Amino acid sequence: MSENLKTIRELADEFKVSKQAVRKRLTDEFRANYVETVDRNGVATLVVTVTGYMLLKQHFSSGNDSEKVGSNVSGNTGNVDATSDSKQTTDNSYVFKILEQQLAVKDKQIENKDSQISQMQNLLDQQQRLALQDKKLLEEYKAEIKDLKALTMAPHDDGEKEVTSDKQPEPENSTPESQPKPKKWWRFGK
């Protein structure tokens, strides 16, 4: 496949334009879709894919064809040579091939997204089922704990409940003399 990929210099030579003209056509969007970096002789080189090559060929050949079509008009009759028509149909076929390739790529992307969505739906359903199971288990555990508390409380129900008072027990040393006096902060030396 690497022999189908062409560098900027090769494209400029083939289209008979400058390297700057080719670089001008390599916008960020074009580079993202149709340009790859390949190591050639230990050097990273930018190469254009086949579909990018077809797009560039269409652009540069259509720019050059406008001059050729004008020169192909013969005399006052206004007839155009058949070569320009055949070239235009081949250019159109290149465009159709490129569009078909792009459609195929988009179809694959859509299929991929559909499978991702179905996986996400399955995972969501599974998570919801697990959450319901956890909730049921939690309710069962709460019921078991309640039953166990009822069983442990049953022997103490014979009327022997401990009586707790709401009052706090008073400390033994409640005289004001036995309680330490608060120290005042401004008396450092005393």
Side-chain angles (χ1 to χ4, degrees):
M1 181 172 171
S2 64
E3 59 268 355
N4 294 338
L5 304 176
K6 297 196 177 197
T7 64
I8 294 173
R9 177 180 289 181
E10 292 170 347
L11 291 171
D13 291 342
E14 183 175 336
F15 300 138
K16 295 181 176 46
V17 294
S18 65
K19 291 189 295 185
Q20 289 81 8
V22 174
R23 281 195 194 106
K24 186 176 180 181
R25 293 297 303 164
L26 300 181
T27 61
D28 291 337
E29 182 180 340
F30 187 89
R31 285 178 189 248
N33 295 325
Y34 305 111
V35 177
E36 298 176 0
T37 304
V38 176
D39 281 337
R40 287 191 177 172
N41 301 328
V43 177
T45 306
L46 293 178
V47 291
V48 178
T49 62
V50 176
T51 53
Y53 168 75
M54 289 182 187
L55 285 171
L56 288 174
K57 184 175 181 180
Q58 177 189 2
H59 171 73
F60 287 117
S61 63
S62 67
N64 295 339
D65 282 348
S66 62
E67 298 168 1
K68 291 179 184 176
V69 170
S71 65
N72 288 340
V73 175
S74 58
N76 294 331
T77 60
N79 294 332
V80 178
D81 289 341
T83 57
S84 64
D85 289 337
S86 65
K87 207 170 213 184
Q88 190 173 16
T89 57
T90 57
D91 288 343
N92 288 340
S93 66
Y94 285 133
V95 171
F96 287 130
K97 286 180 184 177
I98 291 170
L99 291 175
E100 287 173 353
Q101 289 174 351
Q102 289 176 347
L103 278 175
V105 168
K106 298 296 179 192
D107 289 341
K108 288 179 184 177
Q109 289 175 347
I110 290 172
E111 288 175 11
N112 188 13
K113 293 298 176 189
D114 288 342
S115 67
Q116 288 175 350
I117 289 171
S118 66
Q119 286 176 343
M120 294 279 287
Q121 288 287 345
N122 290 337
L123 290 174
L124 182 63
D125 290 343
Q126 183 181 8
Q127 183 210 8
Q128 289 174 345
R129 280 186 257 128
L130 288 174
L132 285 175
Q133 287 177 352
D134 288 345
K135 189 175 181 181
K136 286 179 184 178
L137 281 175
L138 185 62
E139 293 296 325
E140 289 175 9
Y141 289 150
K142 284 182 180 179
E144 285 181 26
I145 290 173
K146 190 175 183 181
D147 291 342
L148 288 175
K149 282 185 179 179
L151 289 176
T152 57
M153 294 299 271
H156 294 288
D157 284 343
D158 4 285
E160 297 179 18
K161 289 186 178 179
E162 293 183 18
V163 179
T164 59
S165 64
D166 292 339
K167 295 182 180 179
Q168 296 275 340
E170 293 185 23
E172 295 175 10
N173 300 335
S174 62
T175 61
E177 298 157 351
S178 64
Q179 292 180 352
K181 292 183 181 179
K183 294 184 178 180
K184 297 181 181 175
W185 63 274
W186 60 85
R187 294 187 182 179
F188 292 114
K190 293 184 181 180

